Coordinates of all heavy atoms in Angstrom, one line a residue:
S6 N 15.2 7.7 -3.1 CA 15.0 9.2 -3.3 C 13.4 9.3 -3.7 O 12.8 8.5 -4.2 CB 15.9 9.8 -4.3 OG 15.6 9.2 -5.6
H7 N 12.9 10.5 -3.4 CA 11.6 10.8 -3.7 C 11.5 11.4 -5.1 O 12.4 11.9 -5.6 CB 11.0 11.9 -2.7 CG 11.4 11.6 -1.3 ND1 11.0 10.4 -0.6 CD2 12.0 12.3 -0.4 CE1 11.4 10.5 0.6 NE2 12.0 11.6 0.8
T8 N 10.3 11.1 -5.7 CA 10.1 11.7 -7.0 C 8.8 12.5 -7.0 O 7.7 11.9 -6.6 CB 9.9 10.5 -8.1 OG1 11.2 9.8 -8.1 CG2 9.6 11.1 -9.4
F9 N 8.8 13.7 -7.5 CA 7.6 14.5 -7.6 C 7.5 15.3 -8.8 O 8.4 15.9 -9.3 CB 7.6 15.6 -6.4 CG 6.3 16.3 -6.4 CD1 5.1 15.7 -5.9 CD2 6.2 17.7 -6.8 CE1 3.9 16.4 -5.9 CE2 5.0 18.3 -6.8 CZ 3.9 17.7 -6.4
L10 N 6.4 15.0 -9.5 CA 6.2 15.7 -10.9 C 4.9 16.4 -10.8 O 3.9 15.9 -10.3 CB 6.2 14.6 -12.0 CG 7.4 13.8 -12.1 CD1 7.2 12.6 -13.0 CD2 8.6 14.6 -12.6
G11 N 4.8 17.5 -11.6 CA 3.5 18.2 -11.7 C 3.1 18.9 -10.4 O 4.0 19.5 -9.6
T12 N 1.9 19.0 -10.1 CA 1.4 19.8 -8.9 C 0.3 19.0 -8.2 O -0.5 18.2 -8.9 CB 0.9 21.2 -9.3 OG1 0.5 21.8 -8.1 CG2 -0.3 21.1 -10.2
S13 N 0.2 19.2 -6.9 CA -0.9 18.7 -6.2 C -1.9 19.7 -5.6 O -2.8 19.4 -4.9 CB -0.4 17.8 -5.0 OG 0.3 18.6 -4.1
V14 N -1.5 21.0 -5.9 CA -2.2 22.1 -5.3 C -3.6 22.2 -6.0 O -3.8 22.2 -7.2 CB -1.5 23.5 -5.6 CG1 -2.3 24.7 -5.1 CG2 -0.1 23.4 -5.0
M15 N -4.6 22.1 -5.1 CA -6.1 22.2 -5.5 C -6.4 21.1 -6.5 O -7.4 21.2 -7.2 CB -6.4 23.6 -6.1 CG -6.1 24.7 -5.2 SD -7.1 24.8 -3.7 CE -8.7 25.2 -4.4
R16 N -5.8 19.9 -6.4 CA -6.1 18.8 -7.3 C -6.6 17.7 -6.4 O -6.0 17.4 -5.3 CB -4.8 18.3 -8.0 CG -4.2 19.4 -8.9 CD -4.9 19.7 -10.1 NE -4.2 20.5 -11.0 CZ -4.5 21.8 -11.2 NH1 -5.6 22.3 -10.8 NH2 -3.8 22.5 -12.1
P17 N -7.6 16.9 -6.8 CA -8.1 15.8 -6.0 C -7.1 14.6 -6.1 O -6.5 14.3 -7.2 CB -9.4 15.5 -6.5 CG -9.4 16.0 -8.0 CD -8.5 17.2 -8.0
L18 N -6.9 14.0 -5.0 CA -6.2 12.7 -5.0 C -7.0 11.6 -5.5 O -8.2 11.3 -5.1 CB -5.8 12.4 -3.5 CG -5.0 11.0 -3.3 CD1 -3.6 11.2 -3.9 CD2 -4.9 10.8 -1.8
V19 N -6.6 11.0 -6.7 CA -7.4 10.0 -7.3 C -6.8 8.5 -7.0 O -7.5 7.5 -7.2 CB -7.4 10.2 -8.9 CG1 -8.2 11.4 -9.1 CG2 -6.1 10.2 -9.5
Y20 N -5.6 8.4 -6.5 CA -5.0 7.1 -6.3 C -3.9 7.2 -5.3 O -3.1 8.1 -5.3 CB -4.5 6.5 -7.6 CG -4.0 5.1 -7.4 CD1 -4.9 4.1 -7.3 CD2 -2.6 4.8 -7.5 CE1 -4.4 2.7 -7.2 CE2 -2.2 3.5 -7.5 CZ -3.1 2.5 -7.2 OH -2.6 1.2 -7.2
K21 N -3.9 6.3 -4.3 CA -2.9 6.2 -3.3 C -2.6 4.7 -3.0 O -3.6 3.9 -2.9 CB -3.2 6.8 -2.0 CG -2.2 6.7 -1.0 CD -2.6 7.2 0.4 CE -1.5 6.9 1.4 NZ -2.0 6.5 2.7
T22 N -1.3 4.3 -3.0 CA -1.0 2.9 -2.7 C 0.4 2.9 -2.0 O 1.2 3.8 -2.1 CB -1.0 2.1 -4.0 OG1 -0.8 0.7 -3.7 CG2 0.2 2.5 -5.0
N23 N 0.5 1.8 -1.4 CA 1.9 1.5 -0.7 C 2.5 0.3 -1.6 O 1.9 -0.7 -1.6 CB 1.8 1.0 0.7 CG 1.4 2.2 1.6 OD1 1.8 3.3 1.4 ND2 0.6 1.9 2.6
A24 N 3.6 0.6 -2.3 CA 4.3 -0.4 -3.1 C 5.4 -0.9 -2.2 O 6.5 -0.2 -2.1 CB 4.8 0.2 -4.4
T25 N 5.3 -2.2 -1.8 CA 6.3 -2.8 -0.8 C 6.7 -4.1 -1.4 O 5.9 -5.0 -1.7 CB 5.7 -3.0 0.6 OG1 5.3 -1.7 1.0 CG2 6.8 -3.5 1.5
Y26 N 8.0 -4.3 -1.6 CA 8.5 -5.5 -2.1 C 9.8 -5.8 -1.3 O 10.6 -5.0 -1.0 CB 8.9 -5.4 -3.6 CG 7.8 -5.0 -4.5 CD1 7.6 -3.7 -4.8 CD2 6.9 -6.0 -5.0 CE1 6.5 -3.3 -5.6 CE2 5.9 -5.6 -5.8 CZ 5.6 -4.2 -6.1 OH 4.6 -3.9 -6.9
S27 N 10.0 -7.1 -1.0 CA 11.1 -7.5 -0.1 C 12.4 -7.5 -0.9 O 12.5 -7.4 -2.1 CB 10.9 -9.0 0.3 OG 10.8 -9.8 -0.8
A28 N 13.5 -7.4 -0.1 CA 14.9 -7.4 -0.7 C 15.3 -8.6 -1.3 O 14.9 -9.7 -1.0 CB 15.8 -7.0 0.4
L29 N 16.2 -8.5 -2.3 CA 16.8 -9.7 -2.9 C 18.3 -9.6 -2.5 O 19.0 -8.6 -2.6 CB 16.7 -9.6 -4.5 CG 15.3 -9.6 -5.1 CD1 15.3 -9.5 -6.5 CD2 14.6 -11.0 -4.7
T30 N 18.8 -10.7 -2.0 CA 20.2 -10.8 -1.5 C 21.2 -10.4 -2.6 O 21.2 -11.0 -3.6 CB 20.5 -12.1 -0.9 OG1 19.5 -12.4 0.0 CG2 21.8 -12.1 -0.2
F31 N 22.0 -9.4 -2.3 CA 23.1 -8.9 -3.3 C 22.6 -8.5 -4.7 O 23.4 -8.5 -5.6 CB 24.1 -10.1 -3.4 CG 24.7 -10.5 -2.1 CD1 24.6 -11.8 -1.7 CD2 25.4 -9.6 -1.3 CE1 25.1 -12.3 -0.5 CE2 26.0 -10.0 -0.1 CZ 25.8 -11.4 0.3
R32 N 21.3 -8.2 -4.7 CA 20.7 -7.9 -6.1 C 19.9 -6.6 -6.0 O 19.3 -6.4 -4.9 CB 19.9 -9.0 -6.7 CG 20.8 -10.2 -7.0 CD 20.0 -11.4 -7.6 NE 19.3 -10.9 -8.8 CZ 18.3 -11.6 -9.2 NH1 17.7 -12.6 -8.6 NH2 17.6 -11.1 -10.3
K33 N 19.7 -5.9 -7.1 CA 18.8 -4.8 -7.1 C 17.5 -5.4 -7.6 O 17.4 -6.3 -8.5 CB 19.2 -3.7 -8.1 CG 20.5 -3.0 -7.7 CD 20.9 -2.0 -8.6 CE 22.1 -1.2 -8.1 NZ 22.4 -0.1 -8.9
R34 N 16.3 -4.9 -7.0 CA 15.0 -5.3 -7.4 C 14.3 -4.3 -8.2 O 14.4 -3.1 -7.9 CB 14.2 -5.6 -6.1 CG 12.9 -6.1 -6.5 CD 12.1 -6.6 -5.2 NE 11.0 -7.4 -5.7 CZ 10.6 -8.6 -5.2 NH1 11.2 -9.1 -4.1 NH2 9.6 -9.2 -5.6
I35 N 13.7 -4.7 -9.3 CA 13.0 -3.8 -10.2 C 11.5 -4.2 -10.3 O 11.3 -5.4 -10.5 CB 13.6 -3.8 -11.6 CG1 15.1 -3.2 -11.5 CG2 12.8 -2.9 -12.5 CD1 15.8 -3.3 -12.8
E36 N 10.6 -3.3 -10.0 CA 9.2 -3.5 -10.0 C 8.5 -2.4 -10.8 O 9.0 -1.3 -10.8 CB 8.6 -3.7 -8.6 CG 9.2 -4.9 -7.9 CD 8.7 -6.2 -8.4 OE1 7.7 -6.3 -9.1 OE2 9.4 -7.2 -8.1
F37 N 7.3 -2.7 -11.4 CA 6.6 -1.7 -12.0 C 5.2 -1.6 -11.4 O 4.6 -2.5 -10.9 CB 6.4 -2.1 -13.5 CG 7.7 -2.1 -14.3 CD1 8.5 -3.2 -14.4 CD2 8.1 -0.9 -14.9 CE1 9.6 -3.1 -15.1 CE2 9.2 -0.9 -15.7 CZ 10.1 -2.0 -15.8
M38 N 4.7 -0.3 -11.5 CA 3.3 0.0 -10.9 C 2.6 0.7 -12.1 O 3.1 1.7 -12.6 CB 3.4 0.8 -9.7 CG 2.1 0.9 -8.9 SD 0.8 2.1 -9.4 CE 1.7 3.6 -9.6
N39 N 1.5 0.2 -12.4 CA 0.6 0.8 -13.5 C -0.7 1.4 -12.9 O -1.3 0.8 -12.0 CB 0.2 -0.2 -14.6 CG 1.4 -0.7 -15.3 OD1 2.1 0.1 -16.0 ND2 1.6 -2.0 -15.3
Y40 N -1.1 2.6 -13.4 CA -2.4 3.1 -13.0 C -3.0 3.9 -14.2 O -2.3 4.5 -14.9 CB -2.3 4.1 -11.8 CG -3.6 4.7 -11.5 CD1 -4.6 4.0 -10.8 CD2 -3.9 6.0 -11.8 CE1 -5.8 4.6 -10.5 CE2 -5.1 6.6 -11.6 CZ -6.1 5.8 -10.9 OH -7.3 6.4 -10.6
T41 N -4.3 3.6 -14.4 CA -5.1 4.3 -15.4 C -6.3 4.9 -14.8 O -7.0 4.2 -14.1 CB -5.5 3.3 -16.5 OG1 -4.4 2.7 -17.1 CG2 -6.3 4.0 -17.6
I42 N -6.6 6.2 -15.1 CA -7.7 6.9 -14.6 C -8.9 6.2 -15.3 O -8.9 6.1 -16.6 CB -7.7 8.4 -14.8 CG1 -6.5 9.0 -14.1 CG2 -9.0 9.1 -14.5 CD1 -6.3 10.5 -14.3
P43 N -10.0 5.9 -14.6 CA -11.2 5.4 -15.2 C -11.8 6.4 -16.2 O -11.7 7.6 -16.0 CB -12.2 5.1 -14.1 CG -11.3 5.0 -12.9 CD -10.1 5.9 -13.1
K44 N -12.4 5.9 -17.3 CA -12.9 6.8 -18.3 C -14.2 7.5 -18.1 O -15.0 7.8 -18.9 CB -13.0 5.9 -19.6 CG -11.7 5.5 -20.2 CD -11.9 4.9 -21.6 CE -10.6 4.3 -22.1 NZ -9.7 5.2 -22.6
S45 N -14.5 7.7 -16.7 CA -15.8 8.4 -16.4 C -15.8 9.8 -16.7 O -16.8 10.5 -16.7 CB -16.0 8.1 -14.9 OG -15.1 8.7 -14.2
G46 N -14.6 10.4 -16.9 CA -14.5 11.9 -17.2 C -13.4 12.2 -18.1 O -12.8 11.3 -18.7
N47 N -13.1 13.4 -18.3 CA -11.9 13.8 -19.1 C -10.7 14.2 -18.3 O -10.0 15.0 -18.7 CB -12.4 15.0 -20.0 CG -13.4 14.7 -21.0 OD1 -13.5 13.5 -21.4 ND2 -14.2 15.6 -21.4
S48 N -10.6 13.5 -17.1 CA -9.5 13.8 -16.2 C -8.1 13.3 -16.8 O -8.1 12.3 -17.5 CB -9.7 13.2 -14.9 OG -10.8 13.7 -14.3
V49 N -7.1 14.1 -16.5 CA -5.7 13.7 -16.8 C -4.9 13.9 -15.5 O -5.3 14.6 -14.7 CB -5.1 14.5 -18.0 CG1 -5.8 14.3 -19.3 CG2 -5.1 16.0 -17.6
I50 N -3.8 13.2 -15.5 CA -2.9 13.3 -14.3 C -2.2 14.6 -14.3 O -1.7 15.1 -15.3 CB -1.9 12.1 -14.4 CG1 -2.6 10.7 -14.3 CG2 -0.8 12.3 -13.2 CD1 -1.7 9.5 -14.5
Q51 N -2.3 15.2 -13.1 CA -1.8 16.6 -12.9 C -0.5 16.5 -12.0 O 0.3 17.4 -12.0 CB -2.8 17.5 -12.3 CG -4.0 17.7 -13.1 CD -3.7 18.6 -14.3 OE1 -3.0 19.5 -14.3 NE2 -4.2 18.2 -15.5
G52 N -0.4 15.5 -11.1 CA 0.7 15.4 -10.2 C 0.9 14.0 -9.8 O 0.0 13.2 -9.7
I53 N 2.3 13.6 -9.6 CA 2.6 12.3 -9.2 C 3.7 12.5 -8.0 O 4.6 13.2 -8.2 CB 3.2 11.5 -10.3 CG1 2.2 11.3 -11.5 CG2 3.7 10.1 -9.8 CD1 2.8 10.8 -12.7
L54 N 3.5 11.8 -6.9 CA 4.5 11.8 -5.9 C 4.8 10.3 -5.5 O 3.9 9.6 -5.2 CB 3.9 12.5 -4.6 CG 4.7 12.4 -3.3 CD1 6.1 13.0 -3.5 CD2 4.0 13.0 -2.2
A55 N 6.0 10.0 -5.6 CA 6.5 8.7 -5.2 C 7.5 9.0 -4.0 O 8.6 9.4 -4.2 CB 7.2 7.9 -6.3
Y56 N 7.0 8.6 -2.8 CA 7.8 8.9 -1.5 C 8.4 7.7 -1.1 O 7.8 6.6 -0.8 CB 6.8 9.4 -0.5 CG 7.4 9.7 0.8 CD1 8.3 10.9 1.0 CD2 7.3 8.9 1.9 CE1 8.8 11.2 2.2 CE2 7.9 9.2 3.1 CZ 8.6 10.3 3.3 OH 9.2 10.6 4.5
D57 N 9.8 7.7 -1.0 CA 10.6 6.5 -0.6 C 10.7 6.4 0.9 O 11.2 7.3 1.6 CB 12.1 6.8 -1.1 CG 12.9 5.6 -0.7 OD1 12.5 4.5 -0.3 OD2 14.2 5.7 -0.9
R58 N 9.9 5.5 1.5 CA 9.8 5.3 2.9 C 11.0 4.8 3.5 O 11.2 4.9 4.7 CB 8.6 4.5 3.2 CG 7.3 5.2 2.8 CD 6.1 4.3 3.0 NE 5.9 4.2 4.4 CZ 5.0 3.3 4.9 NH1 4.2 2.6 4.2 NH2 4.9 3.2 6.2
T59 N 11.9 4.1 2.8 CA 13.1 3.5 3.4 C 14.2 4.5 3.4 O 15.2 4.3 4.1 CB 13.6 2.3 2.5 OG1 13.9 2.7 1.2 CG2 12.5 1.2 2.5
R60 N 14.2 5.6 2.6 CA 15.2 6.6 2.5 C 16.5 6.0 2.1 O 17.6 6.3 2.6 CB 15.3 7.4 3.8 CG 14.1 8.2 4.1 CD 14.3 8.9 5.4 NE 12.9 9.5 5.8 CZ 12.7 10.8 5.7 NH1 13.6 11.6 5.2 NH2 11.5 11.3 6.0
S61 N 16.4 5.0 1.2 CA 17.7 4.4 0.7 C 18.0 4.9 -0.7 O 17.5 6.0 -1.1 CB 17.3 2.9 0.6 OG 16.4 2.6 -0.4
G62 N 18.8 4.2 -1.4 CA 19.2 4.7 -2.7 C 18.2 4.2 -3.8 O 18.5 4.2 -5.0
A63 N 16.9 3.9 -3.5 CA 15.9 3.5 -4.4 C 15.6 4.6 -5.4 O 15.7 5.8 -5.0 CB 14.7 3.0 -3.7
T64 N 15.1 4.3 -6.6 CA 14.7 5.3 -7.5 C 13.3 4.9 -8.1 O 13.0 3.8 -8.1 CB 15.7 5.4 -8.7 OG1 15.8 4.2 -9.4 CG2 17.0 5.9 -8.2
A65 N 12.6 6.0 -8.5 CA 11.3 5.8 -9.1 C 11.2 6.6 -10.3 O 11.5 7.9 -10.2 CB 10.1 6.2 -8.2
N66 N 11.0 6.1 -11.6 CA 10.9 6.9 -12.8 C 9.7 6.5 -13.5 O 9.1 5.4 -13.5 CB 12.2 6.4 -13.7 CG 13.5 6.7 -13.0 OD1 13.8 7.8 -12.5 ND2 14.3 5.6 -13.0
I67 N 9.2 7.6 -14.3 CA 8.0 7.4 -15.1 C 8.5 6.8 -16.4 O 9.3 7.4 -17.1 CB 7.3 8.8 -15.3 CG1 7.0 9.4 -14.0 CG2 6.1 8.6 -16.2 CD1 6.2 8.7 -13.0
T68 N 7.9 5.7 -16.8 CA 8.4 5.1 -18.1 C 7.3 5.2 -19.2 O 7.7 5.1 -20.4 CB 8.7 3.6 -18.0 OG1 7.6 2.9 -17.5 CG2 9.9 3.5 -17.0
E69 N 6.1 5.4 -18.8 CA 4.9 5.6 -19.8 C 3.9 6.6 -19.3 O 3.7 6.5 -18.0 CB 4.3 4.3 -20.1 CG 5.1 3.3 -21.0 CD 4.3 2.0 -21.3 OE1 3.1 2.1 -21.1 OE2 4.9 1.0 -21.5
G70 N 3.3 7.3 -20.1 CA 2.3 8.3 -19.7 C 2.8 9.3 -18.8 O 3.9 9.8 -18.9
G71 N 2.1 9.7 -17.7 CA 2.4 10.7 -16.7 C 1.6 11.9 -16.9 O 0.4 11.9 -17.1
I72 N 2.2 13.1 -16.6 CA 1.6 14.4 -16.5 C 0.9 14.6 -17.9 O 1.6 14.6 -18.9 CB 2.5 15.5 -16.1 CG1 3.2 15.2 -14.8 CG2 1.8 16.8 -16.0 CD1 2.3 15.0 -13.6
G73 N -0.4 15.0 -17.9 CA -1.1 15.3 -19.1 C -1.7 14.0 -19.7 O -2.4 14.2 -20.8
Y74 N -1.5 12.9 -19.2 CA -2.1 11.6 -19.7 C -3.0 11.0 -18.7 O -3.1 11.5 -17.6 CB -1.0 10.6 -20.0 CG 0.0 10.9 -21.1 CD1 1.1 11.7 -20.8 CD2 -0.3 10.6 -22.4 CE1 2.1 12.0 -21.8 CE2 0.6 10.9 -23.4 CZ 1.8 11.6 -23.1 OH 2.6 12.0 -24.1
N75 N -3.8 10.0 -19.1 CA -4.7 9.4 -18.2 C -4.2 8.1 -17.6 O -4.9 7.4 -16.9 CB -6.1 9.1 -18.9 CG -6.0 8.1 -19.9 OD1 -4.9 7.8 -20.5 ND2 -7.1 7.5 -20.3
K76 N -2.9 7.8 -17.9 CA -2.3 6.6 -17.3 C -0.8 6.9 -17.0 O -0.2 7.9 -17.5 CB -2.4 5.4 -18.3 CG -1.5 5.6 -19.6 CD -1.7 4.5 -20.5 CE -0.8 4.7 -21.8 NZ -0.8 3.6 -22.6
V77 N -0.3 6.1 -16.2 CA 1.2 6.2 -15.8 C 1.7 4.8 -15.5 O 1.0 4.0 -15.0 CB 1.3 7.2 -14.6 CG1 0.7 6.6 -13.3 CG2 2.8 7.5 -14.4
K78 N 3.0 4.6 -15.8 CA 3.7 3.4 -15.5 C 5.0 3.9 -14.7 O 5.8 4.6 -15.3 CB 4.1 2.6 -16.7 CG 4.8 1.3 -16.4 CD 5.1 0.5 -17.7 CE 5.6 -0.9 -17.4 NZ 5.7 -1.6 -18.6
I79 N 5.2 3.4 -13.5 CA 6.3 3.8 -12.7 C 7.2 2.7 -12.5 O 6.7 1.6 -12.1 CB 5.8 4.4 -11.3 CG1 4.9 5.6 -11.5 CG2 7.0 4.7 -10.4 CD1 4.2 6.1 -10.3
R80 N 8.5 2.8 -12.8 CA 9.5 1.8 -12.6 C 10.3 2.1 -11.3 O 10.8 3.2 -11.1 CB 10.5 1.9 -13.7 CG 11.7 0.9 -13.6 CD 12.6 1.1 -14.8 NE 13.7 0.1 -14.7 CZ 14.9 0.4 -14.4 NH1 15.3 1.6 -13.9 NH2 15.8 -0.6 -14.3
M81 N 10.3 1.2 -10.4 CA 10.9 1.3 -9.1 C 12.1 0.4 -9.0 O 11.9 -0.8 -9.3 CB 9.9 1.1 -7.9 CG 8.8 2.0 -7.9 SD 7.5 1.5 -6.8 CE 6.7 0.2 -7.8
K82 N 13.2 0.9 -8.7 CA 14.5 0.1 -8.5 C 15.1 0.3 -7.2 O 15.4 1.4 -6.8 CB 15.5 0.5 -9.6 CG 16.7 -0.4 -9.6 CD 17.5 -0.2 -10.9 CE 18.4 0.9 -10.7 NZ 19.4 1.1 -11.8
S83 N 15.3 -0.8 -6.4 CA 15.9 -0.7 -5.1 C 17.4 -0.5 -5.2 O 18.1 -0.8 -6.3 CB 15.6 -2.0 -4.3 OG 16.3 -3.1 -4.8
D84 N 18.0 -0.1 -4.0 CA 19.5 -0.2 -3.9 C 19.8 -1.7 -3.7 O 19.0 -2.5 -3.3 CB 19.8 0.6 -2.7 CG 21.2 1.2 -2.8 OD1 21.8 1.1 -3.9 OD2 21.7 1.7 -1.8
R85 N 21.0 -2.0 -4.0 CA 21.5 -3.5 -3.9 C 21.2 -4.0 -2.5 O 21.7 -3.4 -1.5 CB 23.0 -3.5 -4.3 CG 23.5 -4.9 -4.5 CD 24.9 -5.0 -4.9 NE 25.1 -4.2 -6.2 CZ 24.7 -4.6 -7.4 NH1 24.2 -5.8 -7.6 NH2 24.9 -3.9 -8.5
G86 N 20.5 -5.1 -2.4 CA 20.2 -5.8 -1.2 C 19.2 -5.1 -0.3 O 18.9 -5.6 0.8
N87 N 18.5 -4.1 -0.8 CA 17.4 -3.4 0.0 C 16.0 -3.7 -0.6 O 16.0 -4.0 -1.7 CB 17.7 -1.9 0.1 CG 18.9 -1.5 0.9 OD1 19.2 -2.3 1.8 ND2 19.5 -0.3 0.6
E88 N 15.1 -3.4 0.2 CA 13.7 -3.5 -0.2 C 13.2 -2.3 -0.9 O 13.9 -1.2 -0.9 CB 12.7 -3.8 1.1 CG 12.7 -2.5 1.9 CD 11.8 -2.8 3.1 OE1 11.0 -3.7 3.1 OE2 11.8 -1.9 4.0
I89 N 12.1 -2.4 -1.6 CA 11.4 -1.3 -2.2 C 10.2 -1.0 -1.3 O 9.5 -1.9 -1.0 CB 10.9 -1.6 -3.6 CG1 12.1 -1.8 -4.5 CG2 10.0 -0.5 -4.1 CD1 11.7 -2.3 -5.9
N90 N 10.1 0.3 -0.8 CA 8.9 0.7 0.0 C 8.6 2.1 -0.3 O 9.1 3.1 0.2 CB 9.3 0.5 1.4 CG 8.0 0.6 2.3 OD1 7.0 1.0 1.9 ND2 8.2 0.4 3.6
Y91 N 7.6 2.3 -1.3 CA 7.1 3.6 -1.8 C 5.7 3.8 -1.4 O 4.9 2.9 -1.5 CB 7.3 3.7 -3.3 CG 8.7 4.2 -3.7 CD1 9.6 3.3 -4.2 CD2 9.0 5.6 -3.8 CE1 10.9 3.7 -4.6 CE2 10.2 6.0 -4.2 CZ 11.1 5.1 -4.6 OH 12.4 5.5 -5.1
E92 N 5.3 5.1 -1.1 CA 4.0 5.5 -1.1 C 3.8 6.3 -2.3 O 4.6 7.2 -2.6 CB 3.7 6.4 0.1 CG 3.4 5.7 1.4 CD 3.0 6.6 2.6 OE1 2.2 7.6 2.3 OE2 3.5 6.4 3.7
I93 N 2.8 6.0 -3.1 CA 2.6 6.6 -4.4 C 1.2 7.3 -4.4 O 0.2 6.8 -4.0 CB 2.7 5.6 -5.5 CG1 4.0 5.0 -5.5 CG2 2.3 6.3 -6.9 CD1 4.2 3.9 -6.5
Y94 N 1.3 8.6 -4.7 CA 0.0 9.5 -4.8 C -0.1 10.0 -6.2 O 0.9 10.5 -6.7 CB 0.2 10.6 -3.8 CG 0.4 10.3 -2.4 CD1 1.7 10.1 -1.9 CD2 -0.6 10.2 -1.5 CE1 1.9 9.8 -0.6 CE2 -0.5 9.8 -0.2 CZ 0.8 9.7 0.3 OH 1.0 9.3 1.7
I95 N -1.3 9.9 -6.7 CA -1.6 10.4 -8.0 C -2.7 11.5 -8.0 O -3.8 11.1 -7.4 CB -1.9 9.3 -9.0 CG1 -0.7 8.4 -9.2 CG2 -2.3 9.9 -10.4 CD1 -0.9 7.2 -10.1
Y96 N -2.5 12.6 -8.5 CA -3.5 13.7 -8.5 C -4.0 14.0 -9.9 O -3.3 13.9 -10.8 CB -2.9 15.0 -7.9 CG -2.4 14.8 -6.5 CD1 -1.1 14.4 -6.2 CD2 -3.2 15.1 -5.4 CE1 -0.6 14.2 -4.9 CE2 -2.7 14.8 -4.1 CZ -1.4 14.5 -3.9 OH -1.0 14.3 -2.6
A97 N -5.3 14.3 -10.0 CA -5.9 14.7 -11.3 C -6.5 16.0 -11.3 O -6.8 16.6 -10.3 CB -7.0 13.6 -11.7

C-alpha cells in the first residue's frame, strides 16, 4: 500500500530513491531507509510519499522523525514471499 504524509504542494523535492529488495521464500522481509536533510539550511521535511510499485500487501511506516523534522526513518515490510519495491519521495 502507498503511504503519503504531509504535502508536496509548492515544496521542492529534496530526495528520491527506489528501494528494491528481493523476496524471501515463505517469509516477510523488513528493511529500513534513513534520510537526513543536509544542514545547509533550516529546512524540515514537509511531505513524504512511499509508492508501492508492486501493489502487494507491503507496508511503509515512519519510525523516527518525519514531518517537521530534518530526518526520517522508514520501515518497509513486504507481504509473505514477496519483494519490496518502493519509490520514495521526500519534500522540504
Side-chain angles (χ1 to χ4, degrees):
S6 64
H7 312 305
T8 301
F9 184 72
L10 301 167
T12 183
S13 61
V14 177
M15 302 297 289
R16 305 286 190 246
L18 177 67
V19 293
Y20 185 71
K21 177 188 176 217
T22 189
N23 291 324
T25 305
Y26 302 95
S27 61
L29 298 174
T30 307
F31 304 118
R32 295 180 54 203
K33 293 183 179 186
R34 183 171 193 138
I35 298 174
E36 296 293 336
F37 291 90
M38 194 277 313
N39 294 300
Y40 177 73
T41 302
I42 294 177
K44 294 192 189 274
S45 61
N47 293 331
S48 296
V49 294
I50 295 172
Q51 298 290 320
I53 301 168
L54 170 62
Y56 179 75
D57 181 13
R58 296 177 66 187
T59 61
R60 297 180 188 252
S61 65
T64 59
N66 300 308
I67 308 302
T68 59
E69 288 180 23
I72 305 302
Y74 293 90
N75 69 339
K76 66 179 180 174
V77 66
K78 184 175 186 178
I79 301 174
R80 177 183 184 257
M81 298 167 284
K82 182 170 85 171
S83 72
D84 207 9
R85 190 172 306 279
N87 287 337
E88 68 178 349
I89 294 174
N90 191 350
Y91 272 97
E92 275 187 42
I93 298 173
Y94 302 89
I95 299 176
Y96 300 89

